[in-house]
Amino acid sequence: GKWKNKERVLIFSSRGINFRTRHLMQDLRTLMPHSKADTKMDRKDQLFVINEVCEMKNCNKCIFFEAKKKQDLYLWLSNTPQGPSAKFLVQNVHTLAELKMTGNCLRGSRPLLSFDPAFDKEPHYALLKELFIQIFSTPQYHPKSQPFVDHVFTFTITDERIWFRNYQIIEEDASLVEIGPRFVLNLIKIFQGSFGGPTLYENPHYQSPNMHRRMIRLSVAAKFREKQQVKEVQMIKKKESKVLVGEDPTEVVFETPAEEKPVEIQLVKPESKPIVKDKKKPRKIQRKKQKKLFRTE
């Protein structure tokens, strides 16, 4: 057959991405034979420059990874140059090498795309579904693709986020085995143009990473402040004088008073004790005298 659907996807990133994002980008290039690569874009360049890069590379779709603060990763999916485009926050990234799951699909084979039924219920999800189909589906009879279908890309909506998974189809019993990569996309905005233009949809449930980190810091600070206040209250209680409790009249109800003894006053002078003389004392004195005489002789 002839290669009619000539979709080409440009996959590249900005400078400042970490090793995990680089491996994820390489995994997507491996799984998508209709993709092309390019050098990293400088941070100072504006995003609309990507439209010119796609035109030079003869690509009509683009997957752009944008890194900020060396810790936040954003993903742009765009239909260049007319639009629309969508911006996501990428979370929970796990690459092929990191998962080390059992399973192996043929390189360059065409995937099946499986979507959650919630994609057909709301208009912004329907727009994203069409964008995912045009970007991630490998065109039929592509020169680099293989005429086999042995893995599935699943897009599931849970907790206001889009979960991406890749499963291999085992021929024996048609069971699914996850082979990776996996990541979660948190939708931020959908724009009418490519990398800009009027906003078609803005996610009300989105919370920026800066705000999330700020809320964590505030919760930790509140706990610390509460501990300090408890310590101050304890110190104030220790310094305060103890309040004397009034006497309870019910305490002496069952006490029986002891009988009072009459006080006797002694008016007569006590008799003096007789002095008892030591009868053996003269004999002791005499013995001492005899010992002295004996020594002098």
Side-chain angles (χ1 to χ4, degrees), residues 21-42:
T21 306
R22 186 171 65 252
H23 284 280
L24 175 64
M25 185 171 58
Q26 189 62 38
D27 293 342
L28 291 179
R29 289 173 182 169
T30 305
L31 294 172
M32 300 166 63
H34 61 293
S35 64
K36 289 187 177 182
D38 194 18
T39 57
K40 295 179 181 179
M41 194 180 73
D42 197 356

PDB file of all heavy atoms in Angstrom, residues 21-42:
ATOM      1  N   THR A  21      13.732  12.872  32.185  1.00  0.00           N
ATOM      2  CA  THR A  21      13.003  13.449  31.049  1.00  0.00           C
ATOM      3  C   THR A  21      13.694  13.099  29.738  1.00  0.00           C
ATOM      4  O   THR A  21      13.034  12.821  28.723  1.00  0.00           O
ATOM      5  CB  THR A  21      12.916  14.968  31.216  1.00  0.00           C
ATOM      6  OG1 THR A  21      12.363  15.284  32.498  1.00  0.00           O
ATOM      7  CG2 THR A  21      12.050  15.578  30.140  1.00  0.00           C
ATOM      8  N   ARG A  22      15.009  13.097  29.749  1.00  0.00           N
ATOM      9  CA  ARG A  22      15.745  12.757  28.527  1.00  0.00           C
ATOM     10  C   ARG A  22      15.473  11.308  28.111  1.00  0.00           C
ATOM     11  O   ARG A  22      15.268  11.011  26.937  1.00  0.00           O
ATOM     12  CB  ARG A  22      17.241  12.977  28.762  1.00  0.00           C
ATOM     13  CG  ARG A  22      18.091  12.798  27.513  1.00  0.00           C
ATOM     14  CD  ARG A  22      19.524  13.230  27.749  1.00  0.00           C
ATOM     15  NE  ARG A  22      20.203  12.384  28.723  1.00  0.00           N
ATOM     16  CZ  ARG A  22      20.511  12.764  29.954  1.00  0.00           C
ATOM     17  NH1 ARG A  22      20.188  13.975  30.372  1.00  0.00           N
ATOM     18  NH2 ARG A  22      21.160  11.952  30.778  1.00  0.00           N
ATOM     19  N   HIS A  23      15.435  10.402  29.092  1.00  0.00           N
ATOM     20  CA  HIS A  23      15.144   9.008  28.779  1.00  0.00           C
ATOM     21  C   HIS A  23      13.693   8.832  28.319  1.00  0.00           C
ATOM     22  O   HIS A  23      13.414   8.016  27.421  1.00  0.00           O
ATOM     23  CB  HIS A  23      15.420   8.121  29.996  1.00  0.00           C
ATOM     24  CG  HIS A  23      16.880   7.883  30.231  1.00  0.00           C
ATOM     25  ND1 HIS A  23      17.608   6.953  29.528  1.00  0.00           N
ATOM     26  CD2 HIS A  23      17.754   8.460  31.098  1.00  0.00           C
ATOM     27  CE1 HIS A  23      18.871   6.957  29.948  1.00  0.00           C
ATOM     28  NE2 HIS A  23      18.983   7.871  30.895  1.00  0.00           N
ATOM     29  N   LEU A  24      12.760   9.569  28.938  1.00  0.00           N
ATOM     30  CA  LEU A  24      11.365   9.501  28.502  1.00  0.00           C
ATOM     31  C   LEU A  24      11.217   9.983  27.063  1.00  0.00           C
ATOM     32  O   LEU A  24      10.489   9.367  26.261  1.00  0.00           O
ATOM     33  CB  LEU A  24      10.491  10.330  29.441  1.00  0.00           C
ATOM     34  CG  LEU A  24       9.016  10.474  29.064  1.00  0.00           C
ATOM     35  CD1 LEU A  24       8.316   9.122  29.093  1.00  0.00           C
ATOM     36  CD2 LEU A  24       8.304  11.462  29.993  1.00  0.00           C
ATOM     37  N   MET A  25      11.903  11.061  26.739  1.00  0.00           N
ATOM     38  CA  MET A  25      11.844  11.584  25.371  1.00  0.00           C
ATOM     39  C   MET A  25      12.412  10.568  24.377  1.00  0.00           C
ATOM     40  O   MET A  25      11.860  10.361  23.293  1.00  0.00           O
ATOM     41  CB  MET A  25      12.617  12.905  25.316  1.00  0.00           C
ATOM     42  CG  MET A  25      12.557  13.633  24.010  1.00  0.00           C
ATOM     43  SD  MET A  25      13.278  15.287  24.142  1.00  0.00           S
ATOM     44  CE  MET A  25      14.925  14.887  24.707  1.00  0.00           C
ATOM     45  N   GLN A  26      13.502   9.889  24.766  1.00  0.00           N
ATOM     46  CA  GLN A  26      14.080   8.878  23.892  1.00  0.00           C
ATOM     47  C   GLN A  26      13.151   7.672  23.728  1.00  0.00           C
ATOM     48  O   GLN A  26      13.064   7.073  22.649  1.00  0.00           O
ATOM     49  CB  GLN A  26      15.435   8.436  24.450  1.00  0.00           C
ATOM     50  CG  GLN A  26      16.239   7.559  23.526  1.00  0.00           C
ATOM     51  CD  GLN A  26      16.596   8.258  22.228  1.00  0.00           C
ATOM     52  OE1 GLN A  26      16.892   9.460  22.214  1.00  0.00           O
ATOM     53  NE2 GLN A  26      16.544   7.525  21.122  1.00  0.00           N
ATOM     54  N   ASP A  27      12.431   7.318  24.810  1.00  0.00           N
ATOM     55  CA  ASP A  27      11.477   6.201  24.725  1.00  0.00           C
ATOM     56  C   ASP A  27      10.341   6.519  23.763  1.00  0.00           C
ATOM     57  O   ASP A  27       9.911   5.651  22.980  1.00  0.00           O
ATOM     58  CB  ASP A  27      10.918   5.889  26.115  1.00  0.00           C
ATOM     59  CG  ASP A  27      11.975   5.330  27.046  1.00  0.00           C
ATOM     60  OD1 ASP A  27      13.021   4.866  26.547  1.00  0.00           O
ATOM     61  OD2 ASP A  27      11.755   5.368  28.275  1.00  0.00           O
ATOM     62  N   LEU A  28       9.840   7.752  23.798  1.00  0.00           N
ATOM     63  CA  LEU A  28       8.763   8.130  22.873  1.00  0.00           C
ATOM     64  C   LEU A  28       9.252   8.105  21.430  1.00  0.00           C
ATOM     65  O   LEU A  28       8.521   7.694  20.519  1.00  0.00           O
ATOM     66  CB  LEU A  28       8.230   9.511  23.243  1.00  0.00           C
ATOM     67  CG  LEU A  28       7.442   9.605  24.559  1.00  0.00           C
ATOM     68  CD1 LEU A  28       7.001  11.040  24.812  1.00  0.00           C
ATOM     69  CD2 LEU A  28       6.229   8.684  24.537  1.00  0.00           C
ATOM     70  N   ARG A  29      10.487   8.524  21.213  1.00  0.00           N
ATOM     71  CA  ARG A  29      11.028   8.459  19.850  1.00  0.00           C
ATOM     72  C   ARG A  29      11.154   7.015  19.374  1.00  0.00           C
ATOM     73  O   ARG A  29      10.952   6.708  18.202  1.00  0.00           O
ATOM     74  CB  ARG A  29      12.400   9.141  19.811  1.00  0.00           C
ATOM     75  CG  ARG A  29      12.344  10.654  19.965  1.00  0.00           C
ATOM     76  CD  ARG A  29      13.747  11.221  20.087  1.00  0.00           C
ATOM     77  NE  ARG A  29      13.737  12.670  20.285  1.00  0.00           N
ATOM     78  CZ  ARG A  29      14.809  13.390  20.627  1.00  0.00           C
ATOM     79  NH1 ARG A  29      15.975  12.778  20.812  1.00  0.00           N
ATOM     80  NH2 ARG A  29      14.717  14.694  20.786  1.00  0.00           N
ATOM     81  N   THR A  30      11.488   6.109  20.320  1.00  0.00           N
ATOM     82  CA  THR A  30      11.614   4.695  19.954  1.00  0.00           C
ATOM     83  C   THR A  30      10.260   4.089  19.612  1.00  0.00           C
ATOM     84  O   THR A  30      10.130   3.305  18.662  1.00  0.00           O
ATOM     85  CB  THR A  30      12.260   3.921  21.113  1.00  0.00           C
ATOM     86  OG1 THR A  30      13.505   4.530  21.449  1.00  0.00           O
ATOM     87  CG2 THR A  30      12.498   2.474  20.735  1.00  0.00           C
ATOM     88  N   LEU A  31       9.226   4.451  20.393  1.00  0.00           N
ATOM     89  CA  LEU A  31       7.901   3.873  20.180  1.00  0.00           C
ATOM     90  C   LEU A  31       7.173   4.491  18.998  1.00  0.00           C
ATOM     91  O   LEU A  31       6.221   3.900  18.491  1.00  0.00           O
ATOM     92  CB  LEU A  31       7.050   4.052  21.443  1.00  0.00           C
ATOM     93  CG  LEU A  31       7.505   3.296  22.695  1.00  0.00           C
ATOM     94  CD1 LEU A  31       6.684   3.725  23.895  1.00  0.00           C
ATOM     95  CD2 LEU A  31       7.373   1.796  22.475  1.00  0.00           C
ATOM     96  N   MET A  32       7.595   5.671  18.555  1.00  0.00           N
ATOM     97  CA  MET A  32       6.908   6.374  17.466  1.00  0.00           C
ATOM     98  C   MET A  32       7.854   6.482  16.274  1.00  0.00           C
ATOM     99  O   MET A  32       8.696   7.396  16.215  1.00  0.00           O
ATOM    100  CB  MET A  32       6.450   7.758  17.941  1.00  0.00           C
ATOM    101  CG  MET A  32       5.484   7.694  19.120  1.00  0.00           C
ATOM    102  SD  MET A  32       5.247   9.285  19.941  1.00  0.00           S
ATOM    103  CE  MET A  32       4.528  10.239  18.627  1.00  0.00           C
ATOM    104  N   PRO A  33       7.757   5.561  15.326  1.00  0.00           N
ATOM    105  CA  PRO A  33       8.686   5.615  14.175  1.00  0.00           C
ATOM    106  C   PRO A  33       8.468   6.815  13.267  1.00  0.00           C
ATOM    107  O   PRO A  33       9.345   7.141  12.460  1.00  0.00           O
ATOM    108  CB  PRO A  33       8.397   4.302  13.435  1.00  0.00           C
ATOM    109  CG  PRO A  33       7.016   3.930  13.841  1.00  0.00           C
ATOM    110  CD  PRO A  33       6.848   4.413  15.249  1.00  0.00           C
ATOM    111  N   HIS A  34       7.336   7.489  13.368  1.00  0.00           N
ATOM    112  CA  HIS A  34       7.065   8.663  12.529  1.00  0.00           C
ATOM    113  C   HIS A  34       7.520   9.955  13.196  1.00  0.00           C
ATOM    114  O   HIS A  34       7.087  11.043  12.788  1.00  0.00           O
ATOM    115  CB  HIS A  34       5.579   8.744  12.210  1.00  0.00           C
ATOM    116  CG  HIS A  34       4.703   8.889  13.428  1.00  0.00           C
ATOM    117  ND1 HIS A  34       4.563   7.896  14.368  1.00  0.00           N
ATOM    118  CD2 HIS A  34       3.922   9.919  13.851  1.00  0.00           C
ATOM    119  CE1 HIS A  34       3.734   8.301  15.319  1.00  0.00           C
ATOM    120  NE2 HIS A  34       3.323   9.529  15.022  1.00  0.00           N
ATOM    121  N   SER A  35       8.392   9.857  14.204  1.00  0.00           N
ATOM    122  CA  SER A  35       8.860  11.045  14.924  1.00  0.00           C
ATOM    123  C   SER A  35      10.225  11.475  14.407  1.00  0.00           C
ATOM    124  O   SER A  35      10.962  10.690  13.797  1.00  0.00           O
ATOM    125  CB  SER A  35       8.942  10.755  16.423  1.00  0.00           C
ATOM    126  OG  SER A  35       9.899   9.748  16.687  1.00  0.00           O
ATOM    127  N   LYS A  36      10.547  12.716  14.688  1.00  0.00           N
ATOM    128  CA  LYS A  36      11.848  13.283  14.346  1.00  0.00           C
ATOM    129  C   LYS A  36      12.427  13.974  15.569  1.00  0.00           C
ATOM    130  O   LYS A  36      11.698  14.377  16.481  1.00  0.00           O
ATOM    131  CB  LYS A  36      11.722  14.286  13.188  1.00  0.00           C
ATOM    132  CG  LYS A  36      11.420  13.637  11.847  1.00  0.00           C
ATOM    133  CD  LYS A  36      11.482  14.666  10.736  1.00  0.00           C
ATOM    134  CE  LYS A  36      11.244  14.018   9.380  1.00  0.00           C
ATOM    135  NZ  LYS A  36      11.357  15.012   8.276  1.00  0.00           N
ATOM    136  N   ALA A  37      13.743  14.127  15.583  1.00  0.00           N
ATOM    137  CA  ALA A  37      14.446  14.737  16.714  1.00  0.00           C
ATOM    138  C   ALA A  37      15.078  16.045  16.276  1.00  0.00           C
ATOM    139  O   ALA A  37      15.281  16.300  15.086  1.00  0.00           O
ATOM    140  CB  ALA A  37      15.498  13.782  17.254  1.00  0.00           C
ATOM    141  N   ASP A  38      15.393  16.852  17.282  1.00  0.00           N
ATOM    142  CA  ASP A  38      16.054  18.130  17.027  1.00  0.00           C
ATOM    143  C   ASP A  38      16.849  18.490  18.269  1.00  0.00           C
ATOM    144  O   ASP A  38      16.658  17.906  19.345  1.00  0.00           O
ATOM    145  CB  ASP A  38      15.035  19.220  16.696  1.00  0.00           C
ATOM    146  CG  ASP A  38      15.699  20.455  16.093  1.00  0.00           C
ATOM    147  OD1 ASP A  38      16.849  20.320  15.625  1.00  0.00           O
ATOM    148  OD2 ASP A  38      15.093  21.536  16.104  1.00  0.00           O
ATOM    149  N   THR A  39      17.739  19.448  18.121  1.00  0.00           N
ATOM    150  CA  THR A  39      18.547  19.890  19.250  1.00  0.00           C
ATOM    151  C   THR A  39      17.684  20.641  20.257  1.00  0.00           C
ATOM    152  O   THR A  39      16.588  21.115  19.943  1.00  0.00           O
ATOM    153  CB  THR A  39      19.685  20.799  18.771  1.00  0.00           C
ATOM    154  OG1 THR A  39      19.117  21.909  18.061  1.00  0.00           O
ATOM    155  CG2 THR A  39      20.621  20.031  17.861  1.00  0.00           C
ATOM    156  N   LYS A  40      18.215  20.749  21.469  1.00  0.00           N
ATOM    157  CA  LYS A  40      17.475  21.424  22.533  1.00  0.00           C
ATOM    158  C   LYS A  40      17.338  22.911  22.236  1.00  0.00           C
ATOM    159  O   LYS A  40      18.246  23.546  21.703  1.00  0.00           O
ATOM    160  CB  LYS A  40      18.196  21.237  23.871  1.00  0.00           C
ATOM    161  CG  LYS A  40      18.233  19.795  24.345  1.00  0.00           C
ATOM    162  CD  LYS A  40      18.971  19.691  25.658  1.00  0.00           C
ATOM    163  CE  LYS A  40      19.043  18.245  26.129  1.00  0.00           C
ATOM    164  NZ  LYS A  40      19.789  18.105  27.400  1.00  0.00           N
ATOM    165  N   MET A  41      16.192  23.441  22.603  1.00  0.00           N
ATOM    166  CA  MET A  41      15.925  24.856  22.359  1.00  0.00           C
ATOM    167  C   MET A  41      16.379  25.678  23.546  1.00  0.00           C
ATOM    168  O   MET A  41      16.266  25.247  24.712  1.00  0.00           O
ATOM    169  CB  MET A  41      14.424  25.068  22.120  1.00  0.00           C
ATOM    170  CG  MET A  41      14.107  26.421  21.531  1.00  0.00           C
ATOM    171  SD  MET A  41      12.336  26.658  21.253  1.00  0.00           S
ATOM    172  CE  MET A  41      11.762  26.876  22.913  1.00  0.00           C
ATOM    173  N   ASP A  42      16.911  26.851  23.256  1.00  0.00           N
ATOM    174  CA  ASP A  42      17.392  27.724  24.316  1.00  0.00           C
ATOM    175  C   ASP A  42      16.213  28.291  25.106  1.00  0.00           C
ATOM    176  O   ASP A  42      15.117  28.483  24.582  1.00  0.00           O
ATOM    177  CB  ASP A  42      18.213  28.868  23.712  1.00  0.00           C
ATOM    178  CG  ASP A  42      19.078  29.549  24.760  1.00  0.00           C
ATOM    179  OD1 ASP A  42      18.974  29.168  25.946  1.00  0.00           O
ATOM    180  OD2 ASP A  42      19.847  30.458  24.401  1.00  0.00           O
TER     181      ASP A  42
END
